Amino acid sequence: MANEVKRKIILHWNCRGLSEFPEVIRLHGSHIQEIYLKWNKLTTLPSWIMELFNVTNLYMYGNLIKQLPTEFGEMSQLTVLDLSANKLEQVPVCIGNLSNLKSLLLNDNLIERLPAELSQLSNLEILSLSGNQIVALPEWTGSLPRLKELYVDNNKLKELPNRLTMAAELAMISACSNRLRYLPLNGFLSAPCIRFDANEYLNYVSYPLLFQLLSRLQMTAIHDRAALAFGCFKTHYNTNVLNTNIKLYIEMKGLYETNDDVIIELPRQLLRVHEAHENVTCSLWELALRKVYTERYKHTLDVSPTNVTILYKPLSKNIKPDFTWSSMNYALYSLLTNGPASICVNSQCQQPIFTEAWIIIGISRHAESMITIALCCSKSCATAFATCSNTTIKLHWHSIN
């Protein structure tokens, strides 16, 4: 083993029945750059592993690892870490210190949540968490500045973080086989490829996101909903979860033989909704959110059947919590940081929408038999959009909670 270590820079010791990390690597392997110890019987890693200062890629797939030593966080040179198919119930917080990490693979463990320490991974490009027990992703996943690919298939997710819509580099989101009730309503800044098959309670999509999905398929219309996602857009609804969210009862009126009336669930950020004809006053809370947000960010949405253009940028280079921010209600700060639920779909408006919206629900002629929802910031914008847009068959709805 020593001779093999001495003459190699990439060490392949997969399937060797190892129950401990071989100390021969410590003695003779200071030059090793990549280590493959897949399908062994390791339960942890030694504290001296931080002495392997040239290792950039570490593959520990298919072991019995339950925890890592705190010293592991000193391996700041690591760029790839694969701990998939182990016995991790919690993500070791020391991983948050791996400042150069680009790929973190934690598939097929027993993880239920992500620690806040992972938000420090400013160079992370690939985060793969499929096959765990995660119920909710933290909003900060959308603030990882270089995140390009996010894989969270086969978890227990009920929603995706709204802040992902503002992730500048995101090219892929895969969230198949979860428990999603809705996707973010706003368009995504980076227009990523989104895979969300087998989310059986996901039964509608927003107007801006629909056109982003269609543009990804290089199509202007679809006649089969399965082309967007297989196993979604059904009529049934699970009433046992997320009962605090607003739910809307939609009358289909027999438009399609196989479609009964439908219940849809709105994102938890929305606290109050109105029909397009309702002439009510917008809350001061919502108006304050819009005012503060538009003073700090430029966020616009332009939707057409062939293109979705989104612009998002801070108007000030140094937007950080200061005395004014810290004195605000935490909920207000969180809403502003996580971004609006949508931008008003009236192209002449572009106001951000946070907690209150005028909603138009219909069947898009670009996606036959699929429910589409459009959000406006006021009655006047909703009326203008409903009058000028000929893209939907408008449906009647009412709130059931």
Side-chain angles (χ1 to χ4, degrees):
M1 292 176 72
N3 288 335
E4 186 177 356
V5 171
K6 290 177 181 179
R7 68 174 184 265
K8 291 185 175 180
I9 61 172
I10 299 177
L11 197 59
H12 286 273
W13 281 357
N14 301 324
C15 305
R16 295 202 177 191
L18 299 171
S19 58
E20 293 184 355
F21 199 94
E23 191 164 4
V24 67
I25 302 177
R26 180 188 191 185
L27 299 174
H28 304 287
S30 60
H31 61 287
I32 296 292
Q33 296 178 11
E34 298 184 20
I35 298 177
Y36 293 78
L37 287 171
K38 298 181 180 181
W39 299 291
N40 282 288
K41 299 178 181 179
L42 304 177
T43 58
T44 187
L45 299 178
S47 58
W48 53 258
I49 194 171
M50 44 83 69
E51 298 175 19
L52 304 177
F53 52 83
N54 280 312
V55 174
T56 58
N57 295 38
L58 184 59
Y59 300 90
M60 308 298 298
Y61 182 100
N63 279 275
L64 304 171
I65 296 172
K66 294 183 179 180
Q67 58 185 3
L68 298 178
T70 56
E71 291 84 356
F72 186 80
E74 298 180 38
M75 297 189 72
S76 59
Q77 77 281 4
L78 276 183
T79 58
V80 177
L81 176 60
D82 185 359
L83 288 168
S84 299
N86 277 279
K87 302 295 181 182
L88 292 171
E89 295 183 6
Q90 298 179 341
V91 179
V93 297
C94 60
I95 291 178
N97 294 324
L98 305 179
S99 56
N100 287 301
L101 200 63
K102 294 184 178 181
S103 296
L104 177 58
L105 313 177
L106 296 169
N107 304 314
D108 301 316
N109 279 282
L110 305 168
I111 299 165
E112 295 183 358
R113 56 178 291 274
L114 299 184
E117 286 78 3
L118 295 193
S119 64
Q120 304 171 45
L121 298 177
S122 58
N123 286 300
L124 195 66
E125 297 178 0
I126 299 174
L127 178 58
S128 193
L129 301 161
S130 298
N132 281 285
Q133 306 292 316
I134 301 172
V135 175
L137 288 173
E139 287 285 344
W140 54 253
T141 55
S143 295
L144 295 170
R146 297 187 180 180
L147 187 65
K148 296 179 180 179
E149 300 177 23
L150 176 63
Y151 301 93
V152 287
D153 306 295
N154 296 292
N155 277 280
K156 298 180 179 179
L157 294 175
K158 300 172 183 177
E159 61 184 6
L160 294 176
N162 193 65
R163 208 184 300 181
L164 285 175
T165 62
M166 300 186 295
E169 303 293 328
L170 198 57
M172 166 64 73
I173 302 174
S174 189
C176 301
S177 300
N178 276 279
R179 302 175 181 179
L180 297 177
R181 268 64 189 173
Y182 45 81
L183 295 171
L185 302 184
N186 208 11
F188 282 75
L189 177 64
S190 59
C193 174
I194 306 175
R195 296 174 180 166
F196 52 96
D197 296 313
N199 282 279
E200 60 177 337
Y201 298 118
L202 198 161
N203 53 13
Y204 73 100
V205 68
S206 73
Y207 185 78
L209 187 55
L210 170 64
F211 290 108
Q212 280 197 322
L213 296 172
L214 289 176
S215 64
R216 268 285 177 180
L217 295 173
Q218 297 183 333
M219 302 170 66
T220 56
I222 60 169
H223 302 290
D224 183 359
R225 294 177 292 188
L228 287 181
F230 179 79
C232 300
F233 309 118
K234 300 179 181 179
T235 58
H236 61 281
Y237 171 80
N238 186 345
T239 59
N240 296 322
V241 294
L242 291 178
N243 289 324
T244 58
N245 292 34
I246 293 176
K247 292 177 281 294
L248 305 180
Y249 186 93
I250 302 171
E251 301 172 17
M252 298 298 291
K253 292 186 175 180
L255 283 172
Y256 300 93
E257 293 182 1
T258 58
N259 281 13
D260 299 322
D261 290 348
V262 177
I263 295 174
I264 68 171
E265 186 168 322
L266 298 179
R268 56 192 170 92
Q269 187 170 330
L270 287 170
L271 305 178
R272 190 180 179 195
V273 295
H274 313 287
E275 294 192 52
H277 60 81
E278 287 188 71
N279 189 18
V280 295
T281 303
C282 192
S283 71
L284 291 176
W285 168 257
E286 174 68 17
L287 292 175
L289 284 163
R290 295 178 186 179
K291 176 68 173 177
V292 173
Y293 190 78
T294 53
E295 286 180 347
R296 288 163 170 77
Y297 305 98
K298 184 173 183 179
H299 199 157
T300 59
L301 171 71
D302 181 25
V303 181
S304 72
T306 57
N307 188 37
V308 176
T309 303
I310 298 171
L311 175 65
Y312 168 78
K313 65 177 181 179
L315 296 178
S316 171
K317 292 183 180 180
N318 297 310
I319 298 177
K320 296 180 180 179
D322 52 21
F323 176 79
T324 304
W325 281 100
S326 61
S327 64
M328 289 182 179
N329 183 285
Y330 177 74
L332 175 63
Y333 175 69
S334 296
L335 285 167
L336 293 171
T337 304
N338 298 339
S342 183
I343 301 297
C344 181
V345 294
N346 180 5
S347 59
Q348 304 302 313
C349 177
Q350 303 293 318
Q351 277 288 311
I353 296 169
F354 288 90
T355 64
E356 184 173 357
W358 279 254
I359 292 180
I360 300 169
I361 298 175
I363 300 295
S364 172
R365 295 192 176 95
H366 300 277
E368 186 176 328
S369 79
M370 190 171 71
I371 295 173
T372 307
I373 179 172
L375 271 64
C376 295
C377 69
S378 64
K379 175 184 179 294
S380 58
C381 282
T383 302
F385 178 80
T387 302
C388 299
S389 174
N390 60 357
T391 61
T392 59
I393 302 170
K394 285 177 273 298
L395 301 173
H396 294 289
W397 60 270
H398 64 269
S399 175
I400 60 174
N401 58 334

